[in-house]
């Protein structure tokens, strides 16, 4: 079964750092157009960072300079390094990508930034 599984969420103090990871598993022939989204309580899901196959990396303005998306093609993983975290970064973070030309989403991992 093809799936994306996030890990690395948790509780961190404001100003701290966390690294989220997302692993694609199953029978994978292609894995592209990866990204991270987040959804805070009562808010819409929003783009955090995107790594399109044939375009430049995109970051939400609110995370530019603080978050970095990366991927390991050999391991079919996508990571999100988050630094200088703020309480407003608190949300469930979702990994997404096209696996075998079909869009997939992970179940999410909770990130809580305390004051």
């Amino acid at each position: 079964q093809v799936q994306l599984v996030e890990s690395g969420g948790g509780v961190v103090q404001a100003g701290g750092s966390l690294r989220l990871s997302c692993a694609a598993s199953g029978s994978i022939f292609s894995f592209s157009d990866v990204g991270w989204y987040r959804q805070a309580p009562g808010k819409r899901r929003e783009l955090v960072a995107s790594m399109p196959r044939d375009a430049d990396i995109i970051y939400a303005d609110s995370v530019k300079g603080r978050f970095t998306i990366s991927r390991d093609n050999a391991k079919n993983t996508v990571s999100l390094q988050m630094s200088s975290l703020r309480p407003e970064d608190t949300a469930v973070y979702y990994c997404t990508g096209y696996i075998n030309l079909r869009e997939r989403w992970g179940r999410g991992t909770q990130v809580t930034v305390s004051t």
Side-chain angles (χ1 to χ4, degrees):
Q1 180 180 359
V2 173
Q3 60 179 348
L4 292 172
V5 179
E6 302 97 337
S7 61
V11 180
V12 63
Q13 285 190 329
S17 299
L18 275 178
R19 184 177 180 85
L20 305 183
S21 295
C22 173
S25 63
S27 182
I28 299 171
F29 302 103
S30 64
F31 182 35
S32 65
D33 299 289
V34 298
W36 288 91
Y37 282 71
R38 67 186 181 187
Q39 186 166 18
K43 295 188 177 181
R44 289 185 174 183
R45 190 173 296 189
E46 63 176 2
L47 172 71
V48 176
S50 175
M51 184 180 282
R53 180 177 52 186
D54 298 321
D56 294 336
I57 292 174
I58 300 169
Y59 291 99
D61 288 342
S62 60
V63 307
K64 283 181 181 177
R66 301 188 297 123
F67 290 11
T68 302
I69 188 173
S70 61
R71 65 178 296 173
D72 185 328
N73 292 329
K75 297 181 179 179
N76 286 326
T77 59
V78 184
S79 297
L80 185 69
Q81 178 66 47
M82 306 185 294
S83 304
S84 301
L85 283 162
R86 306 167 180 169
E88 54 264 39
D89 294 319
T90 295
V92 177
Y93 284 71
Y94 298 90
C95 171
T96 183
Y98 278 79
I99 300 177
N100 303 338
L101 303 182
R102 180 178 174 182
E103 187 180 37
R104 303 280 181 173
W105 289 81
R107 293 189 174 185
T109 184
Q110 176 71 46
V111 172
T112 301
V113 184
S114 62
T115 55

